[in-house]
Each structure stands twice: as structure tokens, then as C-alpha cells.
Amino acid sequence: MADDRKLEMEDVLRKQHAVFTAARPEPIEARKSRIERAMKLLEEHGDDLCKVMSGDFGNRSPMQSMITDIAGTVNFGKYCLKHVDKWSKPERRSVQFPLGLLGAKAELRYEPKGVIGILSPWNFPVNLTFGPLMQVFAAGNRAMIKPSEFTAKTSLMMQELVAEYFTPDECAVFTGGPEVAAAFSELPFDHLVFTGSTATGRKVMEAASKHLVPVTLELGGKSPVFLGESADFAKAGERIALGKMMNAGQICLAPDYMYVPESRQDEAIHGVWQGTAKMYPSLLENDDYASLVSDRHFDRLQDMVADARSKGAEVIEVNPGNENFGTSNARKMPLTILKGVTDDMKAMQEEIFGPVLPVKTYRQIDEAIDYVNENDRPLGLYYFGEDKGEREKVLTRTISGGVTVNDVIFHVSMEDLPFGGVGASGMGSYHGVEGFREFSHARSVYTQPSIDVAKLGGFKPPYGPATRKAVKTMMK
């Protein structure tokens, strides 16, 4: 069966390549049509997609899904439509003196690569499929998509809807388990986009290397929150709680741990506690609060908390309604703050991806900076405070995929800013003009004037005085 699926995917890839090649040069209007149809798909079926996402999770707020997966993605499509003409124009580049005077010309053309593969995850299954797809289309490419098996109902609906709005040579979706994903990642695409864990990202990159397929890897890591002495701890706590509790912390950019002044640790924890209680006075029957996606993920997080407790951490459950989570099978978990964490705890070694929040303390901000620099570079980094000097110190001495100041996660929602990681948190980016360029080939075109430039420049054998003069001129 797996071999049959592989043959099916290879066949679609061949056909997409053939149609792509035959259609060149394709007008910009064809690209716009695909973006518009992707937007229309989401607009017309947003409610249905929100329902199936909730079903896949066990519970997930349809309003949250509408904001994060549907409306936000449609808005990004509008952004791509607005800018695609400008993005697609050739850029004039300069040529060395005196070639310009002699009639030489140089330009850079951003041309489509061909067929782009998209391996999308389960945590925002629609957004992280259709977001990159908008820019894949804007760049003039065809697309093949393998969504996650963990959100199987959503993946199946996306497959059915894509088949309704697109021809198979424009865009096709393939569902299935890990064996299908493994076969998909080995296909000879012109580019491959993967969103998921760092561990799986390594496997995807290895598989793609068999055909030298360039990759965009949107991974994760442990995104730190710096609370400076000058921060408003109540306001910061509420914003951190919002970012940590959205989707029950199942966000690649969720604040992974807090780094706070030693003397104000309790104040920082209280701010998060109060912020959580304000937004979620109850959790078990609260449709605004998502379930964890699977029993396996739930058990992993419970084990992480037990590990921290056994190694000396103080475990603080933020349970405003005093509910009994032990009798529920809804896979809901209260925000669990870990105080007094050490580096040998799983919570400080693994990306958390759930409602668990370790808290570390510093005496001087340099300790926090040094700690972040000693570990893998995170996907996101967050700083709260009004001290501009301290903020710049944190930003200039650390490296991360992106930054939000005085909030968390929001930089990913800025359409004109590239979103991506660095080091273990990923490579490449989309959003902004950078996303268009990620899925384009920057093709250099140089036009030589009619005069014999090689002879004039002394580049033709036999080498002599003109050659020596040219070398001296170049080295001045």
C-alpha cells in the first residue's frame, strides 16, 4: 500500500512538472487566480474547517481557529495579492565601470522554482498549510501537500476541498501516516517546506538531500521570556498567559520558560496566575481552552511535570475553578508553573509544547543572556521592560529567529516581517517579500555589449600589458 501511495505521488509530481514547464511563461494573473481560490476555499468553508479542527483536538475553540487558521490566513492571502506584482518585477543591478557606458546591462529576475512540497503540522493545521501555500502560489509554483495524520479529519477535509478548487496539476493533497510523510519527503521537489519538531526536521532534511532539494525548516525550540526590572509584571503576566494558554501551549512560538529577577520571582508568577484566572476562570468545560491533541502528548507533559517535581521543583497548578482534572478524560491540563527548575529536568531540556511554564531567576540580566547563548538558538525571544539600554543589550547579545518586545508571539502575525528560525530552530523563512523570494529562483541575467569586452579588458591570451593594467586597476 505504501508503495502504491509513493507511485501515486511520483505520478502527480511528474504531471505538475510537465504542466509547469509547458505553461511558462505564465502570466501573473494565473498566480493571482490561485491565491484568490485559496482564499475563497477558506472563506466558504471556514466554519466547517473550525468544526473538524475541534473534533481532531477533542476540544478547540472555533473562534480561536477562526482567528488563527482562517481569518489570519485569508488576510495573508490579501497581502500577497497586493504585493505580487511588485515582488515579481525584475531588479536592475549595476555593472562595473566602464561596462555600463559601453551598453552592458545586469538584472535579477525572480522566477518560479517549479513544484514545492509542503509538509504541514497538526497544531495550526490550516494556517500552516495555506499560509506558505499563498506565497508558493505568489512565486508562480505548483504545490503538493502532506498534512499531519494527528489531525486526520482536518487533513481529509483539506484534501477534498483542494480537489474542488484546484486541478491536480496546480495543487494536490496526500493524507496518511508517517510512511506517507517519509515517502513524500524523499520526492525530487524543487523546494520542500517542513513545519514541525527539530528532531523530525533533521530527518526531513536528510531525506531531501538525496535529491539535493532545498528546504525551508520551521522548527521550534525553547523560546525564552526575559522580564526586566522595568517591566509591568501584571501586564506582562497577562500577555505571557495569553500566549502560553492559546491552543493549550501547542504553538512553536509559545513562551517556553520565563527568566525573571531573583527578587521578583513571586511577583512574576502571580502576574501569570492572575492573567490566566482572568481569561480562564474555569478550564474543563470551557470551550475557549483547547485540549491536548493526543493521549501520548498529554502523558508526555504529565511525565515532564512529575520529573521536575521529583528533582526538587515546586509545582504550581493554576486552577482558578478548583476543578478535578483527575476524573476527566478530556485531555485538558491546567497551566502548570515550575519554580526552582534545574537544567537536568526534562522541562529545561525539551521543547515543552504545552501548558507547562518553568521559571528561572537571575541576579544580573547578563546571566540570562549567557544562558540563552549557551543553548540552541530559539525560534522566538521575548523581552518585557521599558529600559531601552537593557532591551538593546538583550537583542544585540542574543540570536533568535524573531523577537517580540513587550508581548509574546505577535511578530509572526506581522505579514511584512519574515518568519523563520536560526540554527536548531530552523532555516529559511516565509511572510514578507522574503517568503516570495524563498520560493523563487533569483536568476541573474547579464547582457554583453557588442564591443569585445574581453579583449578590451586584457582578459584574452596572449596576456600582456593590457592584462597587467587590468589587474592593477582591479586591485586599487
Side-chain angles (χ1 to χ4, degrees):
M1 184 62 73
D3 288 341
D4 291 343
R5 298 302 305 282
K6 187 176 182 182
L7 290 171
E8 179 192 357
M9 291 189 291
E10 288 172 342
D11 184 53
V12 171
L13 178 57
R14 273 193 301 271
K15 287 175 179 173
Q16 286 201 3
H17 261 138
V19 175
F20 165 79
T21 303
R24 294 219 352 112
E26 202 170 45
I28 295 293
E29 294 310 313
R31 304 183 186 191
K32 291 180 179 177
S33 168
R34 293 182 189 119
I35 297 169
E36 286 164 351
R37 279 180 278 149
M39 292 165 61
K40 190 178 179 185
L41 181 159
L42 297 175
E43 289 164 354
E44 293 181 344
H45 300 279
D47 288 335
D48 293 333
L49 285 163
C50 289
K51 284 175 189 170
V52 295
M53 279 187 271
S54 185
D56 277 327
F57 274 76
N59 178 74
R60 190 186 200 236
S61 166
M63 285 309 300
Q64 181 214 293
S65 294
M66 188 58 73
I67 294 165
T68 58
D69 282 76
I70 307 300
T73 313
V74 170
N75 222 39
F76 185 57
K78 290 180 190 172
Y79 166 80
C80 292
L81 281 176
K82 180 181 177 182
H83 292 281
V84 65
D85 288 300
K86 180 175 67 178
W87 290 342
S88 304
K89 284 180 181 174
E91 290 180 14
R92 289 205 53 186
R93 295 293 178 98
S94 60
V95 295
Q96 295 95 315
F97 179 83
L99 291 172
L101 298 176
L102 300 173
K105 294 177 183 176
E107 69 174 15
L108 191 64
R109 300 181 181 185
Y110 290 101
E111 300 187 344
K113 288 188 169 185
V115 181
I116 312 290
I118 300 174
L119 270 166
S120 57
W122 53 264
N123 58 327
F124 293 99
V126 177
N127 175 293
L128 294 174
T129 298
F130 281 84
L133 182 65
M134 297 294 185
Q135 290 199 301
V136 165
F137 283 157
N141 301 290
R142 312 289 164 130
M144 290 171 60
I145 298 164
K146 166 60 181 78
S148 174
E149 67 273 15
F150 288 109
T151 42
K153 294 173 187 157
T154 308
S155 295
L156 184 60
M157 181 172 279
M158 286 194 292
Q159 183 182 47
E160 292 167 351
L161 291 173
V162 164
E164 185 181 327
Y165 284 77
F166 298 95
T167 59
D169 58 67
E170 290 179 302
C171 186
V173 178
F174 301 89
T175 58
E179 72 287 346
V180 176
F184 187 91
S185 62
E186 290 183 353
L187 293 172
F189 293 113
D190 297 293
H191 195 101
L192 180 61
V193 187
F194 168 78
T195 306
S197 71
T198 302
T200 306
R202 288 191 178 98
K203 294 176 184 175
V204 169
M205 190 173 182
E206 184 179 357
S209 72
K210 293 176 183 177
H211 294 288
L212 296 178
V213 175
V215 293
T216 301
L217 302 179
E218 301 297 352
L219 309 178
K222 300 187 73 61
S223 298
V225 181
F226 289 76
L227 264 70
E229 287 278 3
S230 61
D232 181 328
F233 278 57
K235 186 185 287 185
E238 185 166 332
R239 293 179 179 185
I240 293 163
L242 176 60
K244 191 66 174 175
M245 296 293 276
M246 179 185 285
N247 214 35
Q250 298 165 114
I251 306 176
C252 57
L253 277 168
D256 199 275
Y257 63 97
M258 287 200 308
Y259 231 132
V260 304
E262 188 176 68
S263 61
R264 301 183 70 182
Q265 179 175 204
D266 291 337
E267 185 183 354
I269 290 171
H270 182 69
V272 175
W273 207 105
Q274 289 285 88
T276 303
K278 190 174 176 182
M279 291 182 285
Y280 302 95
S282 67
L283 296 170
L284 280 177
E285 301 299 324
N286 188 342
D287 287 342
D288 289 343
Y289 188 56
S291 298
L292 297 171
V293 74
S294 67
D295 290 341
R296 179 182 167 191
H297 192 43
F298 180 85
D299 292 342
R300 175 183 160 272
L301 290 166
Q302 294 294 323
D303 178 62
M304 184 179 284
V305 173
D307 171 76
R309 182 184 276 115
S310 72
K311 291 173 180 171
E314 181 184 342
V315 177
I316 303 166
E317 278 195 0
V318 183
N319 183 3
N322 291 316
E323 296 166 283
N324 184 358
F325 286 81
T327 60
S328 170
N329 61 356
R331 292 199 305 272
K332 286 196 173 184
M333 180 178 177
L335 177 61
T336 306
I337 298 172
L338 303 178
K339 184 179 176 183
V341 293
T342 53
D343 290 347
D344 64 334
M345 296 175 184
K346 289 179 182 177
M348 291 310 299
Q349 294 173 348
E350 304 170 10
E351 182 180 6
I352 290 170
F353 224 73
V356 177
L357 183 63
V359 182
K360 288 180 72 70
T361 63
Y362 65 84
R363 291 180 184 174
Q364 301 291 332
I365 196 80
D366 297 80
E367 297 169 37
I369 291 170
D370 290 344
Y371 180 83
V372 170
N373 286 336
E374 286 162 7
N375 290 282
D376 287 340
R377 288 169 178 168
L379 184 61
L381 183 144
Y382 310 116
Y383 172 82
F384 288 85
E386 301 306 320
D387 184 332
K388 291 182 181 177
E390 183 179 77
R391 180 194 68 202
E392 284 307 303
K393 188 178 196 180
V394 170
L395 296 189
T396 55
R397 287 192 52 207
T398 59
I399 295 174
S400 68
V403 174
T404 296
V405 175
N406 286 328
D407 212 326
V408 299
I409 300 175
F410 265 86
H411 64 278
V412 72
S413 64
M414 299 301 108
E415 292 159 351
D416 210 36
L417 283 177
F419 164 61
V422 58
S425 60
M427 63 180 67
S429 59
Y430 59 95
H431 296 183
V433 65
E434 290 81 4
F436 171 84
R437 291 175 179 173
E438 185 86 356
F439 304 130
S440 301
H441 168 55
R443 191 181 191 189
S444 301
V445 180
Y446 171 73
T447 303
Q448 189 75 289
S450 57
I451 193 168
D452 190 343
V453 170
K455 184 177 181 181
L456 185 70
F459 303 143
K460 274 186 176 179
Y463 300 126
T467 308
R468 285 190 287 274
K469 183 180 177 183
V471 170
K472 281 183 181 179
T473 301
M474 284 188 279
M475 294 178 69
K476 276 183 182 175

